[in-house]
Amino acid sequence: LTGETTRYYKPSWWDGEVIPKNPINYTYLRESLENAVRKRLMSDVPYGVLLSGGLDSSLIASIATREAAKLAATQNGFEDDRGVTTWQKLHSFSIGLPGSPDLIAARSVAEFLDTIHHEFTFTLQEGLDAVHDVIHHLETYDVTTIRASTPMYLLSRKIKAMGVKMVLSGEGSDEILGGYLYFHAAPSAADFHKETVSRVKKLHTADCLRANKSTMAWGLEARVPFLDKTFLDVAMSIDPEEKLFKEGRMEKYILRKAFDVSTTGDVRPYLPESVLWRQKEQFSDGVGYSWIDTLKETAEQHVTDEQLANAANVWAKDTPTSKEAYWYREQFESWFPEEACTDSVERWIPRADWGCPEDPSGRAQAVHNAAI
């Protein structure tokens, strides 16, 4: 016994200081993701896919639909009360405030893919009522994680109530490919790559924490094809120059291009052009912009200017810098002892040294407003 923890999984990309030089191979990238989805469809329970209408979840849904069709050709399946064979139709699920960007986009993707689509809405009050329990299940006070987890938590309850026990989800793509809009400000390709490595390593404190705990709060399993080890090895070994935001190249260009008909040569597109080339919309934004606005307004009612000004005297570590963060921190500590904060929680904050605003919302990034 060495008395030390030894990492058994040591991929070539783990050292962010080593900048990869592999040229992009669109076919290899596409097939690696398809294999990752195929592997995660091995299931003997009812399953579906989370569909926000953004690029990542839509691609996973598209691939899963094709794989389900292959299963239908080789297996008998079972007929439901509508006479639809389970292997023929993929169930997709979305949530948002009425009229939200994600609901509209998800609906169009579901129609294009011909999934059995389930669309749920929530009210601002329902979201606010759930925040305290979400903080308990997630064990974090991180602002962006709580913003995004609350709709996912509400959706997971609906899905589990329908008897579905496993869903595919699109987490990981933005970390691997630099899809967050603040990556637009990366000073160089090397810095871009180092940040992707850092974000992937911290997924258990952010997006994967959200996906895992928001779903498992209701006993729903989430599987994430983008974090398949083989796909990771392929995508993280690509020269970061290929991933950079450039003129004529939006975020995650290489992923979009890998599934574009100009590259695939397929007469049947994976996705509509409007979705394949849709700008990144973070989940907490896409469910409806008024969701984040309401959280900020509610925090204003709970936290005074004096309390925020005195925050450093209350919390020396991870001092809240906004009333929203202060409000979450208070609720976190109503569930957990203060010492839990020092070891278990990491806040998701864009790179201030790249000139990015502290607010993690995609709307706070200049490139989002420029695109609009």
Side-chain angles (χ1 to χ4, degrees):
L1 297 177
T2 64
E4 298 178 356
T5 301
T6 302
R7 177 179 298 281
Y8 76 92
Y9 175 54
K10 298 179 180 178
S12 59
W13 52 266
W14 195 256
D15 183 357
E17 296 298 322
V18 179
I19 310 302
K21 296 297 181 183
N22 288 355
I24 179 65
N25 183 322
Y26 292 116
T27 300
Y28 194 24
L29 187 66
R30 180 178 65 256
E31 291 179 350
S32 297
L33 185 58
E34 289 175 325
N35 290 336
V37 173
R38 185 179 305 119
K39 184 190 301 183
R40 281 155 186 80
L41 285 179
M42 292 189 291
S43 176
D44 57 1
V45 299
Y47 63 81
V49 61
L50 301 182
L51 184 60
S52 70
L55 174 67
D56 304 328
S57 66
S58 298
L59 273 181
I60 298 301
S62 179
I63 297 169
T65 300
R66 292 175 178 230
E67 292 302 319
K70 293 176 185 177
L71 286 170
T74 59
Q75 301 188 29
N76 293 327
F78 312 94
E79 286 194 352
D80 64 14
D81 57 4
R82 289 168 292 185
V84 177
T85 304
T86 55
W87 294 119
Q88 289 179 335
K89 290 276 190 176
L90 181 72
H91 288 259
S92 56
F93 306 91
S94 65
I95 192 168
L97 297 169
S100 70
D102 277 0
L103 285 184
I104 296 169
R107 197 179 307 145
S108 69
V109 174
E111 291 174 359
F112 181 85
L113 298 177
D114 193 26
T115 65
I116 300 174
H117 190 54
H118 309 273
E119 181 177 297
F120 301 101
T121 59
F122 69 100
T123 66
L124 292 170
Q125 190 58 53
E126 286 173 331
L128 290 173
D129 290 343
V131 167
H132 193 60
D133 286 336
V134 167
I135 291 172
H136 177 230
H137 285 291
L138 266 67
E139 302 173 284
T140 188
Y141 48 79
D142 175 62
V143 170
T144 192
T145 303
I146 294 168
R147 287 174 176 178
S149 295
T150 304
M152 197 170 191
Y153 172 84
L154 295 173
L155 177 60
S156 297
R157 179 172 65 176
K158 297 284 190 181
I159 294 173
K160 186 59 184 293
M162 295 176 63
V164 173
K165 297 184 178 180
M166 184 273 283
V167 289
L168 300 180
S169 193
E171 277 73 25
S173 173
D174 289 313
E175 287 77 10
I176 297 166
L177 298 164
Y180 294 114
L181 298 184
Y182 80 90
F183 272 89
H184 190 275
S188 68
D191 289 307
F192 189 105
H193 177 71
K194 291 174 188 177
E195 182 70 0
T196 62
V197 173
S198 175
R199 283 298 179 197
V200 170
K201 288 181 177 181
K202 293 177 181 178
L203 268 167
H204 66 287
T205 70
D207 278 27
C208 281
L209 180 147
R210 165 177 58 80
N212 183 41
K213 295 188 176 182
S214 296
T215 53
M216 287 306 295
W218 301 104
L220 179 67
E221 178 192 2
R223 297 183 182 178
V224 284
F226 278 109
L227 295 178
D228 177 81
K229 290 201 292 274
T230 301
F231 179 78
L232 266 172
D233 287 341
V234 172
M236 294 296 288
S237 298
I238 296 171
D239 188 333
E241 283 285 348
E242 302 278 8
K243 299 180 181 180
L244 285 177
F245 288 63
K246 299 177 182 177
E247 186 174 349
R249 285 195 173 205
M250 64 192 309
E251 74 279 357
K252 292 185 289 193
Y253 173 86
I254 60 174
L255 180 64
R256 302 173 194 271
K257 189 68 174 176
F259 286 88
D260 188 78
V261 290
S262 64
T263 302
T264 65
D266 196 334
V267 295
R268 181 165 62 107
Y270 280 80
L271 291 172
E273 287 268 320
S274 60
V275 176
L276 186 63
W277 299 97
R278 180 190 178 196
Q279 187 187 58
K280 166 68 181 173
E281 195 83 82
Q282 287 175 210
F283 186 53
S284 52
D285 288 325
V287 296
Y289 291 154
S290 56
W291 169 234
I292 290 179
D293 295 339
T294 297
L295 287 170
K296 291 180 177 180
E297 291 165 4
T298 304
E300 283 282 345
Q301 299 168 13
H302 282 84
V303 181
T304 66
D305 293 340
E306 291 74 18
Q307 285 177 305
L308 183 60
N310 192 50
N313 294 324
V314 181
W315 299 292
K317 175 181 169 58
D318 277 354
T319 304
T321 55
S322 69
K323 291 186 177 180
E324 185 184 4
Y326 192 108
W327 182 43
Y328 297 153
R329 187 67 173 269
E330 279 191 322
Q331 294 182 73
F332 177 89
E333 293 197 354
S334 72
W335 287 112
F336 305 106
E338 184 177 354
E339 52 267 26
C341 308
T342 61
D343 300 319
S344 63
V345 179
E346 182 161 345
R347 291 193 295 160
W348 197 111
I349 301 175
R351 294 286 297 264
D353 57 340
W354 290 1
C356 303
E358 181 178 333
D359 192 317
S361 168
R363 274 192 297 164
Q365 309 306 317
V367 66
H368 183 278
N369 294 329
I372 294 175

